[in-house]
């Protein structure tokens, strides 16, 4: 699967969501961090439920493959199976919610670069592509900015996009 460019862009924007704001009180930073964590968990659950088409509380290779293809990416079932195998803790060929969440949290916390990232990249993209269009549109990008910054600061960032990723 070729997700590199889109994933890098989304990853750079999303990594900033947990960074402390300059001049922000520790209480305000803590409140923002808790809010962002709850929003992230809700988004992760929404993606899991959206992929689990047969509602068996597991995501199997066919469901993941169909979802990736629906988003416009071309991956073989073997590639999808390999992505899932890397994080399938109990080796049953499917990901339960606990494995899905663990994969996401482990990669988010990984500083070494050793955690498998292909599935994580797709899931993180889907969390921000709320309408399932296969793209991150201006409204979805604005939501990311508003979570990171206040609405006024987010609007200022949009007006000066070169400074967004510096």
């Amino acid at each position: 699967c070729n997700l590199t460019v889109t994933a890098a862009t989304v990853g750079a924007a999303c990594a900033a969501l947990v960074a402390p704001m300059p001049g922000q009180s520790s209480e305000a930073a803590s409140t923002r961090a808790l809010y962002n964590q709850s929003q992230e968990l809700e988004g992760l659950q929404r993606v899991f439920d959206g992929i689990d088409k047969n509602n068996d509380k597991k995501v199997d290779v066919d469901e993941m493959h169909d979802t990736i293809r629906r988003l416009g990416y071309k991956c073989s079932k073997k590639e999808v199976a390999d992505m899932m195998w890397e994080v399938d803790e109990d080796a049953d060929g499917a990901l339960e919610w606990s494995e899905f969440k663990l994969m996401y949290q482990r990669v988010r916390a990984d500083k070494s670069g050793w955690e498998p990232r292909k599935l994580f990249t797709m899931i993180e993209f889907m969390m921000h592509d709320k309408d399932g269009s296969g793209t991150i549109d201006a409204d979805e990008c604005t939501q990311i900015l508003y979570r990171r910054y206040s609405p006024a600061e987010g609007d200022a960032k949009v007006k000066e996009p070169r400074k967004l990723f510096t």
Side-chain angles (χ1 to χ4, degrees), residues 10 16 36-37 49 58 72 99 107 115 133 140 147 150 155:
V10 172
N36 286 340
Q37 288 171 0
D49 293 343
K58 294 181 179 184
E99 292 171 314
V107 174
E115 289 293 329
S133 65
E140 292 161 336
R147 279 184 50 209
S150 70
D155 288 341

Side-chain angles (χ1 to χ4, degrees), residues 86-87 102-103 106-107 109-110 112-118:
E86 291 178 321
V87 297
L102 179 64
M103 170 274 305
R106 285 173 66 173
V107 174
D110 180 35
S112 69
W114 288 99
E115 289 293 329
R117 295 189 180 280
K118 286 183 180 179

